[in-house]
Amino acid sequence: MTGIAQAATEPSSHAPGARANTAAAAQVEPFYGEHQAGIVTPQQTHTYFAAFDVTTHERADLIALLKAWTDASARLTRGDTAKPIDPDTASASVAGAGAQAASGDNAELGAMSTLPDTAQGASAPDVNAGGAANGDGYGGASTPAYGAAIYEDSAEALGLGPARLTLTFGLGPTLFTRDGIDRFGIAKHRPDALVDLPRFNGDQIVKEKSGGDLCIQACANDAQVAFHAVRQLARLANGKAQIKWVQSGFLSQPGDGTTARNLMGFRDGTNNPPTRDPAAMEKFIWAGDEGPAWMRGGTYTVFRRIRITLEHWDNTEVSFQEAVFGRHKYSGAPLGKQKEFDALDFDAKDPHGNPVIPENSHVRLSNRAQNNGMQLLRRSYSYNDGANFYIERWPPWRQELEYDAGLLFVAHQRDPRAAFVPINARLAATDLMNQFTTHVGSAIFALPPGAKPGSFIGAALFEA
């Protein structure tokens, strides 16, 4: 990491607060476009997914929030701060930091020349003068300003570059109607495809980890950049929306360009439709004329937090693991084949007359050939949230401290009623993998088409 430490010794060619530089320009994923970024974008190594509940009941407030999020996202994805940093504030920060460093109070402060932090010498808002005399410990403010936008950016991502950051926004079913109330006058524009997901066999959904009025998916090649982006957008939502749940994830890409692996050690996403094929994307991913005009060019995204009992999986023979998936673990090839992208042969039999690819294997049950030709675009990540106490729902029914880890299943599709819902119902009923996995979080969102400069995400919905 270079940014903060070099700031005092290297001249900057950008306005104060800008994180992008010439080398980082190649890492910029465009924010504006026909479709939102982060859907067919080549997958980054980190994600930070956040769902929000809207707290305001004013339509104008919701529109203002979406506008603010759009403007800030366009800046963040090109490597800038969420809002422009006032040059006077930045200059004061540098001057204050330099003076303190020269006096020997804190030599490191002299290097923090781009941080608009009051700790560097910039003047803080006089929230309540006289606090220091009252002995409250706030150095002149008896009560810190809460909820006010007292600085433009929290600054922890300065110097990190864009890192291919994408920010993708979605609208949940409860934004249109909550408890029977149409808060924002948009209930009649809810797409039929934005269904309330049914309960599937084996679900153990945690309410606090599910649903949401709005969602933000931040993806980047730097975990701190992804978190920083959501943090800034959450600050901008103050008074209008609040975080309902968040989930971070990771995905390490093999250096040889092969498909990434999940925590079970198998390649994940081999059978995705080709994202560089416009016809395939139109057929399977982008919403068309069958729905409301404001969703054309958007997509519907299902999020499932799937905990994997890794302790159980790790004590299972590789041959059985391969039967569960229907693929060879190390090559990724279908059982009976040699290479990852070899065609699946569901008719092949072993010497005993049994299917080479088991009838209840994951690849057979989820394959388009078994699901009326439908496909999902999986863009999933692994997660690891430490450990917790669990009681397993399959033999050997252990009760112990186990990994809280698994898969953040993220799937895009043109219509969940024809794709995720029937496919997952089939999997939930008979998939061999069910003895190792439990769905504990669930959400569905309508992701509108991309925004144009000067407009905002979801604008067509409010113009309908």
Side-chain angles (χ1 to χ4, degrees):
M1 194 172 84
T2 59
I4 294 177
Q6 290 182 349
T9 58
E10 295 185 3
S12 173
S13 60
H14 299 276
R19 290 190 283 116
N21 53 45
T22 304
Q27 301 181 28
V28 174
E29 296 288 349
F31 176 74
Y32 294 110
E34 180 182 3
H35 309 291
Q36 289 197 64
I39 299 171
V40 298
T41 307
Q43 200 162 356
Q44 302 95 318
T45 56
H46 297 277
T47 190
Y48 198 83
F49 199 106
F52 291 76
D53 278 340
V54 177
T55 55
T56 180
H57 283 246
E58 299 297 326
R59 178 186 173 103
D61 286 345
L62 176 58
I63 293 173
L65 172 60
L66 294 173
K67 288 181 176 179
W69 276 0
T70 301
D71 293 343
S73 296
R75 292 182 55 82
L76 289 164
T77 53
R78 65 175 182 256
D80 289 342
T81 49
K83 289 185 177 181
I85 291 179
D86 186 341
D88 293 334
T89 301
S91 297
S93 298
V94 174
Q100 292 184 43
S103 66
D105 292 338
N106 191 335
E108 293 182 356
L109 287 175
M112 300 172 69
S113 61
T114 62
L115 301 183
D117 194 321
T118 56
Q120 298 177 49
S123 298
D126 189 3
V127 184
N128 191 342
N134 295 332
D136 57 29
Y138 283 114
S142 62
T143 304
Y146 180 79
I150 59 173
Y151 54 88
E152 296 86 349
D153 190 280
S154 56
E156 76 273 16
L158 290 175
L160 298 183
R164 296 190 55 237
L165 172 68
T166 55
L167 290 163
T168 315
F169 297 88
L171 316 178
T174 50
L175 185 70
F176 295 85
T177 307
R178 181 192 286 175
D179 298 328
I181 300 174
D182 180 6
R183 295 174 290 168
F184 308 111
I186 57 175
K188 63 182 179 181
H189 301 301
R190 175 178 171 176
D192 292 339
L194 186 61
V195 296
D196 294 313
L197 293 176
R199 183 190 181 280
F200 297 97
N201 182 53
D203 276 0
Q204 295 185 10
I205 303 301
V206 178
K207 182 179 180 181
E208 292 75 16
K209 287 281 188 180
S210 303
D213 295 340
L214 301 168
C215 76
I216 301 172
Q217 175 195 259
C219 298
N221 284 340
D222 186 298
Q224 188 157 313
V225 169
F227 171 71
H228 166 265
V230 173
R231 180 182 177 189
Q232 307 319 300
L233 299 177
R235 289 177 59 237
L236 292 173
N238 185 60
K240 300 181 180 70
Q242 63 185 16
I243 287 178
K244 178 177 176 64
W245 55 265
V246 299
Q247 184 64 61
S248 60
F250 57 89
L251 178 81
S252 295
Q253 297 283 3
D256 59 3
T258 54
T259 308
R261 296 178 184 270
N262 55 37
L263 294 184
M264 300 175 102
F266 282 76
R267 302 188 191 279
D268 197 305
T270 299
N271 277 336
N272 268 340
T275 57
R276 294 183 180 180
D277 181 351
M281 294 299 96
E282 290 294 333
K283 182 178 181 179
F284 297 115
I285 308 306
W286 306 127
D289 294 338
E290 70 281 355
W294 68 267
M295 265 298 291
R296 290 172 194 162
T299 192
Y300 298 92
T301 299
V302 172
F303 173 94
R304 303 282 281 187
R305 185 178 190 267
I306 306 174
R307 180 179 170 266
I308 302 172
T309 309
L310 295 174
E311 293 82 358
H312 187 186
W313 182 253
D314 290 344
N315 285 286
T316 302
E317 293 182 358
V318 171
S319 59
F320 184 74
Q321 293 181 357
E322 292 180 335
V324 168
F325 271 88
R327 289 184 175 274
H328 294 292
K329 185 167 188 175
Y330 301 114
S331 68
L335 293 181
K337 297 297 182 70
Q338 300 298 316
K339 298 179 181 179
E340 177 184 357
F341 294 100
D342 285 348
L344 294 155
D345 186 353
F346 294 124
D347 296 324
K349 298 290 194 295
D350 67 16
H352 303 287
N354 299 311
V356 172
I357 299 176
E359 296 284 356
N360 51 356
S361 65
H362 186 75
V363 72
R364 181 186 285 268
L365 293 172
S366 62
N367 189 263
R368 60 180 299 188
Q370 310 295 319
N371 292 283
N372 298 315
M374 294 308 300
Q375 282 189 282
L376 304 165
L377 177 59
R378 293 170 55 105
R379 206 170 184 275
S380 302
Y381 287 85
S382 296
Y383 77 89
N384 175 16
D385 288 348
N388 211 331
F389 185 83
Y390 290 101
I391 301 174
E392 293 183 7
R393 66 186 183 97
W394 290 84
W397 294 296
R398 285 179 292 215
Q399 302 181 36
E400 61 186 5
L401 193 69
E402 296 182 340
Y403 293 117
D404 183 0
L407 184 73
L408 307 180
F409 175 87
V410 180
H412 309 296
Q413 63 237 271
R414 182 166 178 162
D415 190 336
R417 296 169 298 177
F420 174 78
V421 173
I423 292 173
N424 197 60
R426 185 183 180 92
L427 291 168
T430 59
D431 190 357
L432 272 172
M433 194 178 294
N434 293 338
Q435 60 189 293
F436 303 100
T437 61
T438 305
H439 292 233
V440 294
S442 179
I444 184 171
F445 297 96
L447 276 54
K452 298 178 181 179
S455 186
F456 62 97
I457 293 293
L461 168 61
F462 297 94
E463 297 166 357

